[in-house]
């Protein structure tokens, strides 16, 4: 039956008295708490779907097919022969008599180490990682929400872990989405990066107060928060996750308090270089030597936590959707990055020039925008236009939105945590292709920047 073309739209002739009858009582501040509690119960229920009987997340097993296709570059028959010849190696487990063998990721890492030692030197069993250089820090940022920022960071972290790297994930977003993905437990701000930033400020303030005392000036306030922060080390905050080679510094709502506390500290001590705080602390605590790659998931705003993450990073990734509004917002984000860091440089360098010191200049190994949630049928033309404008700044690999990604989101997990038996091998292979390509593009940046550092270090050593 064809509708009457003259039918009026639903927003005409709404009766005010009927609308009043349908209206709820006015909302109070207390109602916000009720809604928040309902959301908390729902979040805990959804998050628990991926947890085991002990209430913790567990990582699925990996089949021989997955291992030989995605993780260790050997033919399946050769893989089986090696296991048979070395009964001391992990042998996996079968769910049925004579069925496929399944392994934990920890067992896969042990098998990779064996092949790296005993296998062909022409194959890459372990990923490239130059000796003597620190971990590369990777910030994933954009001040527009909903662009796939946390999902991109999580999947890259998982990709790097499957590739054999030691990964640390630092959640700088008080919403704690990354923390939920990796099953982190965070009670308050003292389990987040907050005490590390406070410790950096406290150390600066202690030195400044000593100078003030030496000059006969009164010291600046040094409260209990700063005293306690001086006792905290990064290792106190790092949690193990259900991934054997991914660790986490988590976040929760109270971390947002940092956005109010940091400007107070800046007002008290103008000489405190807050943008160095995260890098300095991680380096001082040996964290940069204990991992290969550190991913920083930033808040969807250009606040103090984001500035810390961006300043600390070697590689910056900026996710965006293939839409006009997200392209427009991303352009404004880069504009704000320019004005923010140029302002910091200008302020610091005025004093540096006056004192004859080296001037500050922020630098990143690479910056790439990444198109996420891509629908080729609907967004192909606009994505190509964005590519034309951004050129090499935009990664040519676009993350498709597939059924595999949708299910992973429902399970509060990543696509690499999805069991291909819930689909089939072909669907699984197609679903992860786009993320594998994104990781490959990122890995080129990672290896290229490490190699540049390695050659520079060799050249410097040769000159010395």
């Amino acid at each position: 039956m064809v509708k009457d073309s003259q039918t009026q739209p639903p927003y005409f002739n709404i009766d005010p008295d009927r609308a009043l009858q349908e209206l709820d009582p006015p909302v109070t501040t207390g109602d916000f708490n009720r809604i928040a509690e309902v959301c908390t119960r729902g979040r805990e229920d959804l998050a628990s779907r991926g947890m085991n009987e002990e209430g913790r997340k567990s990582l699925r097993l990996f089949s021989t097919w997955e291992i030989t296709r995605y993780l260790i570059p050997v033919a399946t028959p050769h893989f089986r022969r090696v296991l048979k010849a070395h009964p001391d190696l992990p042998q996996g487990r079968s769910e049925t008599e004579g069925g496929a063998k399944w392994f934990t990721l920890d067992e896969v890492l042990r098998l990779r180490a064996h092949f790296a030692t005993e296998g062909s030197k022409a194959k890459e069993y372990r990923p490239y990682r130059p000796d003597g250089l620190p971990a590369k820090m990777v910030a994933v940022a954009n001040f527009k929400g909903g662009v796939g920022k946390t999902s991109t960071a999580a999947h890259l972290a998982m990709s790097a872990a499957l590739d054999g790297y030691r990964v640390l994930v630092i959640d700088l977003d008080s919403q704690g989405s990354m923390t939920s993905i990796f099953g982190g437990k965070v009670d308050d701000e003292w389990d987040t990066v907050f005490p590390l930033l406070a410790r950096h400020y406290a150390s600066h303030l202690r030195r400044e107060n000593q100078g003030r005392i030496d000059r006969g000036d009164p010291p600046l306030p040094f409260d209990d928060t700063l005293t306690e922060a001086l006792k905290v080390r990064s290792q106190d905050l790092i949690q193990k996750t259900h991934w054997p080679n991914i660790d986490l510094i988590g976040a929760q709502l109270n971390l947002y308090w940092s956005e109010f506390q940091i400007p107070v500290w800046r007002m008290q001590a103008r000489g405190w270089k807050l943008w160095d705080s995260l890098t300095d602390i991680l380096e001082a605590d040996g964290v940069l030597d204990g991992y290969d790659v550190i991913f920083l998931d930033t808040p969807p705003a250009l606040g103090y936590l984001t500035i810390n993450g961006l300043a600390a990073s070697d590689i910056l990734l900026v996710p965006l959707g293939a839409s006009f509004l997200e392209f427009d917002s991303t352009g404004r984000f880069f504009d704000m990055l320019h004005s923010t860091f140029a302002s910091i440089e200008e302020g610091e360098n005025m004093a540096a020039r006056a004192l004859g010191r080296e001037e500050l200049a922020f630098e990143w190994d690479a910056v790439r925008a990444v198109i996420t949630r891509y629908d080729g049928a609907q967004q192909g033309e606009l994505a190509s236009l964005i590519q034309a404008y951004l050129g090499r700044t935009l990664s040519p690999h676009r993350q498709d939105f597939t059924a595999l990604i949708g299910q992973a989101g429902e399970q509060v997990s990543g696509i690499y945590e999805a069991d291909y038996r819930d689909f089939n091998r072909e669907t699984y292979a197609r679903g992860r292709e786009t993320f594998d390509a994104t990781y490959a593009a990122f890995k080129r940046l990672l290896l290229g920047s490490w190699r540049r550092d390695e050659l520079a270090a060799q050249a410097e050593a040769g000159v010395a």
Side-chain angles (χ1 to χ4, degrees), residues 140-145 149-150 170-175 255-256 259 296-310 333:
V140 184
N142 198 331
F143 64 22
K144 185 172 180 59
K149 178 176 56 62
T150 298
I170 301 179
D171 195 347
L172 297 175
D173 188 349
S174 59
Q175 296 177 87
L255 176 60
Y256 192 70
E259 299 289 357
L296 307 168
D297 187 36
T298 64
L302 194 54
Y304 290 106
L305 290 169
T306 300
I307 290 173
N308 255 292
L310 295 176
F333 175 67

Side-chain angles (χ1 to χ4, degrees), residues 400-410 415 423 427 431:
D400 297 329
F401 187 87
T402 67
L404 183 64
I405 300 168
Q407 174 170 319
E410 291 176 4
I415 63 166
F423 311 89
T427 302

Side-chain angles (χ1 to χ4, degrees), residues 204 208 265-266 268-275 348:
H204 169 84
E208 182 161 319
W265 292 338
R266 283 282 290 162
Q268 289 177 342
R270 292 287 188 177
W272 176 49
K273 296 176 173 54
L274 73 93
W275 47 88
E348 288 294 301

Side-chain angles (χ1 to χ4, degrees), residues 89-257:
L89 290 175
Q91 298 295 309
R93 74 242 341 115
S94 297
E95 297 181 350
T96 59
E97 185 68 28
K101 292 290 186 69
W102 295 80
F103 300 78
T104 67
L105 181 56
D106 194 54
E107 290 172 334
V108 173
L109 296 174
R110 289 170 57 193
L111 290 169
R112 177 183 277 132
H114 172 81
F115 280 98
T117 303
E118 305 294 335
S120 169
K121 302 306 178 185
K123 291 188 176 181
E124 183 187 82
Y125 294 110
R126 282 188 175 134
Y128 171 77
R129 170 70 160 95
D131 295 331
L133 294 179
K136 285 294 183 181
M137 300 180 68
V138 184
V140 184
N142 198 331
F143 64 22
K144 185 172 180 59
V147 296
K149 178 176 56 62
T150 298
S151 175
T152 298
H155 284 119
L156 285 174
M158 293 175 189
S159 296
L162 291 173
D163 204 14
Y165 287 119
R166 299 165 299 168
V167 177
L168 175 65
V169 175
I170 301 179
D171 195 347
L172 297 175
D173 188 349
S174 59
Q175 296 177 87
S177 298
M178 182 71 83
T179 302
S180 295
I181 289 174
F182 286 104
K185 303 294 184 183
V186 181
D187 293 329
D188 55 35
E189 69 273 15
W190 286 91
D191 292 329
T192 72
V193 297
F194 169 74
L196 301 183
L197 305 182
R199 173 180 144 204
H200 191 270
Y201 172 71
S203 299
H204 169 84
L205 188 59
R206 190 164 57 178
R207 292 191 298 270
E208 182 161 319
N209 277 344
Q210 185 59 56
R212 294 176 68 89
I213 292 171
D214 292 343
R215 295 191 302 270
D217 297 331
L220 296 171
F222 202 98
D223 57 26
D224 292 342
T225 295
L226 300 179
T227 300
E228 288 301 310
L230 286 171
K231 305 173 185 176
V232 179
R233 293 294 177 269
S234 303
Q235 288 77 6
D236 301 328
L237 308 173
I238 294 174
Q239 306 178 38
K240 294 294 182 183
T241 73
H242 56 297
W243 286 71
N245 52 347
I246 299 180
D247 292 342
L248 169 74
I249 296 180
Q252 58 101 252
L253 191 60
N254 288 359
L255 176 60
Y256 192 70
W257 184 58

Side-chain angles (χ1 to χ4, degrees), residues 269-330:
R270 292 287 188 177
W272 176 49
K273 296 176 173 54
L274 73 93
W275 47 88
D276 287 339
S277 56
L278 192 56
T279 306
D280 287 350
I281 291 296
L282 294 178
E283 183 177 16
D285 290 347
V287 174
L288 299 185
D289 297 324
Y291 295 91
D292 302 315
V293 191
I294 300 174
F295 288 95
L296 307 168
D297 187 36
T298 64
L302 194 54
Y304 290 106
L305 290 169
T306 300
I307 290 173
N308 255 292
L310 295 176
S313 65
D314 302 293
I315 297 173
L316 170 60
L317 302 177
V318 182
L320 74 155
S323 73
F324 167 78
L325 291 179
E326 294 189 34
F327 180 45
D328 178 56
S329 176
T330 299

